[in-house]
Amino acid sequence: MMEARKYVWEGAIPLQIHLHESEVTTLPPPLPALILAPRIGYLPLLVPHIKPHFSSTLPPGIDTVWFDYKGLPLKWYIPTGILFDLLCAEPERPWNLTVHFRGYPGNILIPCEGEDSVKWSFINSLKEAAYIINGNCKSVMNMSQPDQVELWRSVINGNLEAYIRVSSKLKLGTVGDEYAADLYSSSLNSRQSIGDTDSTGQVKTGRVPIRLYVWSVNEDFDDLEDAPQIDSWDKISYINRPVEIHGEEGKCFTLLDAVKSLLPEYFPYKSLNNEESSREEDKDEEKVPSENLSEHVESCYSSDDAEVKLVRIQGIEPKLEIPFSWVVNNLVNPEHFLHLCVCLKLPQVKIPSDT
């Protein structure tokens, strides 16, 4: 497990950063800055490294730094790797971004005051994750100042060993290896109760904090290079929902199971794995009284379902049959959220004819 986490922490995206033409005051214009951006990092943390490259050509004024990709302002509180996975269906290397030091789009982006804002956002996400996992965020709230500083420095420096040393005190282990193995066992209990601990004292739970980025398309595509361009944040559904890991006896709870449970709007019946077997066993059970609802449920069995075109996590596209416990243990971000980028092809709406 440590090897996979090490790959995540060492992952980086080559960036080619251009200064926006409206801010170029010298001839010739400056060459783009080239930099490796950590996947688990954040774009504002790159500013101290790239500003010296452009400082001689900037117009007078106060810096309000922001980035865009093909004209789309990038949300600074989303980790850089997630932005790349979401906005580059066909990976672009180097990733060409534009940096602005003026004209902050406050109507689209929340204010950012540099590293302090990023740290504040990270700690708040950590508190949110702790609440989902443990039912409270006391462990994060009670962190000593030195531990909080060391935790943050470990993230921005990509120091996994230091991070594990500090974060282990928070007892936010989500899915233990024993539990992952038990998912294949016929002796599996239906759920792991919140608050159970393993032999190391690490808290184990079935509740996983998820940040879900859903990109919906109406037209099918075979190659990622043909996927429609995301040119507005309105085309992305940003959803925070925990997943409660469970499985039927002898059956693994997969990544596909997790995606369906996260998106009941698109998979309202098939995501209810536990109910399917009971409904099949008892066919004489009273039907749902609402005629419209029963029609809606029946449609979920047909080919009119939404189709999962792509699930991307930490730059990889795992098979949907992979055990979700493995995904959680290996691909979670430092703030203990698992970020899922999902592309869905929505079924065509059939307009009934008048005849």
Side-chain angles (χ1 to χ4, degrees), residues 33 48 72-73 82 103 141 154-155 159 199 223 229 251 256 264 288 307 315 335-337 350:
L72 177 67
I82 311 306
M141 297 287 289
S154 72
V155 172
N159 189 335
S199 58
D223 297 320
Q229 173 70 34
K251 181 183 177 184
L256 181 59
V288 179
E307 177 188 352
E335 82 285 12
H336 283 272
F337 270 89
K350 297 178 181 178

Side-chain angles (χ1 to χ4, degrees), residues 31-247:
L31 295 173
L34 299 174
I35 191 170
L36 274 177
R39 276 193 147 270
I40 62 171
Y42 301 84
L43 289 176
L45 302 181
L46 302 178
V47 174
H49 302 286
I50 64 174
K51 184 179 177 181
H53 184 81
F54 298 118
S55 58
S56 62
T57 190
L58 291 176
I62 300 174
D63 290 347
T64 52
V65 186
W66 56 287
F67 297 81
D68 82 60
Y69 174 59
K70 295 185 176 179
L72 177 67
L74 300 181
K75 298 190 175 184
W76 57 264
Y77 52 84
I78 298 178
T80 305
I82 311 306
L83 289 171
F84 181 69
D85 291 346
L86 182 63
L87 300 177
C88 292
E90 179 67 24
E92 173 186 317
R93 295 183 179 89
W95 192 22
N96 284 276
L97 302 182
T98 300
V99 64
H100 305 250
F101 289 83
R102 306 288 184 267
Y104 195 85
N107 59 324
I108 298 176
L109 305 179
I110 62 176
C112 178
E113 303 296 333
E115 183 180 329
D116 285 344
S117 293
V118 180
K119 178 183 176 182
W120 175 84
S121 175
F122 175 85
I123 295 297
N124 273 347
S125 293
L126 193 60
K127 292 176 184 176
E128 188 179 348
Y131 188 85
I132 291 170
I133 294 169
N134 293 336
N136 65 73
C137 55
K138 292 179 181 177
S139 61
V140 180
M141 297 287 289
N142 294 336
M143 283 183 73
S144 68
Q145 187 63 26
D147 279 353
Q148 191 175 122
V149 170
E150 185 178 0
L151 182 70
W152 176 239
R153 300 314 298 179
S154 72
V155 172
I156 63 177
N157 294 327
N159 189 335
L160 179 57
E161 290 183 3
Y163 171 82
I164 292 175
R165 184 169 59 250
V166 180
S167 65
S168 61
K169 300 177 183 179
L170 301 177
K171 302 193 183 305
L172 296 180
T174 306
V175 181
D177 285 334
E178 291 178 39
Y179 187 59
D182 285 347
L183 287 173
Y184 287 102
S185 169
S186 60
S187 61
L188 171 71
N189 291 325
S190 61
R191 295 189 179 179
Q192 185 79 4
S193 61
I194 294 177
D196 285 357
T197 59
D198 61 17
S199 58
T200 65
Q202 188 83 345
V203 172
K204 293 168 63 178
T205 174
R207 286 174 62 83
V208 180
I210 303 288
R211 295 210 194 283
L212 189 66
Y213 310 83
V214 181
W215 167 36
S216 303
V217 298
N218 296 110
E219 297 180 3
D220 204 358
F221 58 88
D222 294 322
D223 297 320
L224 290 176
E225 61 183 14
D226 298 326
Q229 173 70 34
I230 299 174
D231 54 12
S232 168
W233 286 107
D234 292 336
K235 294 183 178 180
I236 302 294
S237 297
Y238 179 60
I239 302 169
N240 288 317
R241 285 180 186 159
V243 166
E244 188 159 353
I245 293 184
H246 59 273

Side-chain angles (χ1 to χ4, degrees), residues 13 92 94 105 137 214 234 287 305 331 333 338:
I13 300 166
E92 173 186 317
C137 55
V214 181
D234 292 336
K287 293 184 177 180
D305 278 358
L331 303 181
N333 266 58
L338 183 68

